[in-house]
Amino acid sequence: DAGVIQSPRHEVTEMGQEVTLRCKPISGHNSLFWYRQTMMRGLELLIYFNNNVPIDDSGMPEDRFSAKMPNASFSTLKIQPSEPRDSAVYFCASRPNTGDGYTFGSGTRLTVV
Amino acid sequence: KNQVEQSPQSLIILEGKNCTLQCNYTVSPFSNLRWYKQDTGRGPVSLTIMTFSENTKSNGRYTATLDADTKQSSLHITASQLSDSASYICVVTRGAGNMLTFGGGTRLMVKP
């Protein structure tokens, strides 16, 4: 199993541009999570999906952030327009409905200049 | 308030030495507690997971303990290696299992 796959690994963009982060969860995992990690705030949950349906998006900072999960094998996190304060590492994680197996991807390091 | 507090924030030890990292939590209802290792530039990787009824679990040189009464956990690293240099994050799962509360992590540096 290749694990949770995120792309790109690094993204540098100019303020105001649209950014799309991608995640492929582990096959068979029913829940998918998007996290943001910064030095100041540590790991914060942004949104999670169960069976492709958004369950809790209370962590999404503002309307500039949106996430979709069109099918069980793919999810995107979009920031439009991006701002310098969005600079962080964004992690995707997935888990099955039963048992543990909570697995993180390697993250996308986003820098907005 | 559901919180997870870790100490120390950072730690430097010499290769071969042992160390113990601490985690206190106030998360309720408690489901399980995980310790993750996060190498620089990588995602967190699970080391151990313990439920309410478990008070110790080992993974190689890593041994985690849990006292559910005092809501404390520790991670003990034996005979440290340079590759142990990383951040160690204590994570408590609340309720049905999808809501994780993260500690701020302990940054460990092992020096030769």
Side-chain angles (χ1 to χ4, degrees), chain A residues 9 35 37 91 95 100 102 105, chain B residues 34 38 41 43 97-98 102:
Chain A
R9 284 300 311 275
Y35 289 91
Q37 186 176 41
F91 286 102
R95 65 163 289 196
D100 192 51
Y102 206 109
Chain B
R34 296 175 169 89
Q38 185 176 18
N98 276 335
F102 291 82

Side-chain angles (χ1 to χ4, degrees), chain A residues 53-69:
Chain A
V53 176
I55 303 300
D56 186 345
D57 65 353
S58 59
M60 296 286 263
E62 48 198 272
D63 292 345
R64 297 185 297 107
F65 285 68
S66 62
K68 294 182 179 179
M69 192 165 185

